[in-house]
Amino acid sequence: NDNTGTYYFDDVRTASFSPTNVVEEIGTIIPTEFSLQQNYPNPFNPSTQIKFSVPQTSNVKVIVTDLLGREVATIVNDNLAAGNYSVNFKASELSSGIYFYTLITDNFKQSKKMILMK
């Protein structure tokens, strides 16, 4: 399943990622640094919440890779304003196992491990 698509913005700064992911800005406090939080719940089935912070407008990509480093999903791929964001990742098309999700911007890259248990 290819999770690439297009964002659609409305007037409350919520970005809908077609076909399945919604990136939502959380709160109004502007973060001072890039950060990627541990997904919750973890282990998960079939979906999990991933939160990240962007201190300045940036090209933001969040990808999921398998243990061999193969990209299996693109959760976010857009230019986002400074803020704190949350996205619900639905992994119903993936097999049980260990995966890594990575936040990639022009100035920052961080990965975390998550476990899908079916």
Side-chain angles (χ1 to χ4, degrees):
N1 184 19
D2 183 11
N3 283 352
T4 58
T6 305
Y7 283 97
Y8 301 96
F9 289 87
D10 62 26
D11 59 346
V12 294
R13 291 176 50 119
T14 299
S16 298
F17 185 75
S18 177
T20 59
N21 299 315
V22 175
V23 177
E24 184 177 345
E25 188 168 14
I26 305 168
T28 58
I29 297 172
I30 303 299
T32 58
E33 62 186 19
F34 289 100
S35 70
L36 179 63
Q37 295 182 24
Q38 186 63 50
N39 65 304
Y40 181 82
N42 190 32
F44 70 98
N45 179 26
S47 65
T48 188
Q49 205 71 23
I50 297 172
K51 295 180 181 180
F52 58 94
S53 299
V54 179
Q56 63 206 35
T57 299
S58 302
N59 291 315
V60 175
K61 192 170 185 180
V62 178
I63 63 168
V64 177
T65 56
D66 63 15
L67 279 173
L68 298 176
R70 296 178 295 206
E71 187 173 327
V72 296
T74 299
I75 302 172
V76 178
N77 188 9
D78 202 9
N79 191 337
L80 297 178
N84 298 296
Y85 293 89
S86 178
V87 61
N88 188 36
F89 173 56
K90 296 176 182 138
S92 54
E93 301 295 319
L94 298 177
S95 301
S96 294
I98 297 172
Y99 293 89
F100 296 93
Y101 59 102
T102 304
L103 171 64
I104 304 166
T105 72
D106 297 332
N107 304 315
F108 182 83
K109 184 176 182 180
Q110 184 177 8
S111 297
K112 299 222 180 239
K113 180 172 73 170
M114 63 183 171
I115 300 170
L116 172 59
M117 293 183 78
K118 291 189 171 185

